[in-house]
Amino acid sequence: MHCPFCRHTDSRVVDSRTSDDGCSIRRRRSCPTCGRRFTTVETASLTVVKRSGATEPFSREKVLVGVRKACQGRPVSEDALAVLSQRVEEAVRATGSAEIDAHDVGLAILGPLRELDEVAYLRFASVYRSFESLADFEAEIALLRAEHEPTGREPEAAGSGSG
Ligand SMILES: [Zn+2]
């Protein structure tokens, strides 16, 4: 980043401070040529591409609103919701790309939401994955049930091929 005063192409960071929400860093810089100081703000850009093709900046708040709706009436605390939306943001940022499909944001929500509350998960999944019949719910519930089976026991007693 060049100096805004003399256009020198280098600058020295004299102070870095992370914003309260952790989403940006302010850097105080000093120009080695003219000695003047200036500030830069650094954020990791993350754009969500909707199905319509429209884009909008990623919003943790939007994730929170969607998940909160699915959790209505469930014993899920606001703290847990905040942690979940933070995990979702970390997961989508971890992809390292500057753009992400809205679909993939939904995918990133499903995993942590299932750990949090399975009923809320089913609600969210039914909308997000467009469940169309009871069979869709049944299939999803069967998957959840299968994961509740005690682990450590191999399902081989009845021989292979049963299903
Ligand atoms: Zn300068």
Side-chain angles (χ1 to χ4, degrees):
M1 162 113 210
H2 58 219
C3 169
F5 304 104
C6 72
R7 316 301 282 176
H8 183 70
T9 53
D10 196 17
S11 61
R12 196 167 59 86
V13 175
V14 293
D15 185 41
S16 292
R17 197 162 300 175
T18 306
S19 66
D20 288 341
D21 62 4
C23 290
S24 64
I25 294 178
R26 296 173 72 85
R27 293 189 203 281
R28 200 81 184 114
R29 293 172 181 272
S30 164
C31 173
T33 302
C34 72
R36 291 206 241 193
R37 295 193 166 191
F38 55 99
T39 301
T40 55
V41 178
E42 197 176 290
T43 56
S45 78
L46 183 58
T47 301
V48 176
V49 184
K50 298 199 265 190
R51 206 184 304 180
S52 63
T55 60
E56 63 184 19
F58 175 84
S59 157
R60 200 192 292 183
E61 186 59 31
K62 275 208 162 159
V63 171
L64 196 58
V65 167
V67 173
R68 188 185 287 135
K69 203 180 286 176
C71 289
Q72 241 165 37
R74 301 297 303 163
V76 175
S77 69
E78 270 297 308
D79 278 357
L81 292 179
V83 168
L84 185 149
S85 54
Q86 187 179 339
R87 281 180 64 185
V88 170
E89 175 164 3
E90 281 165 7
V92 295
R93 285 196 186 279
T95 64
S97 61
E99 277 192 357
I100 185 162
D101 279 356
H103 184 81
D104 291 332
V105 177
L107 272 183
I109 291 171
L110 284 173
L113 184 57
R114 190 168 69 178
E115 288 172 27
L116 193 61
D117 188 282
E118 289 178 342
V119 171
Y121 163 78
L122 275 176
R123 286 178 184 158
F124 190 88
S126 70
V127 175
Y128 171 73
R129 302 221 305 246
S130 319
F131 285 9
E132 281 169 359
S133 66
L134 285 177
D136 290 334
F137 279 93
E138 279 168 359
E140 195 62 45
I141 289 167
L143 278 177
L144 289 172
R145 284 234 173 90
E147 285 170 22
H148 286 186
E149 296 292 313
T151 51
R153 197 200 300 164
E154 297 298 322
E156 64 190 9
S160 59
S162 68

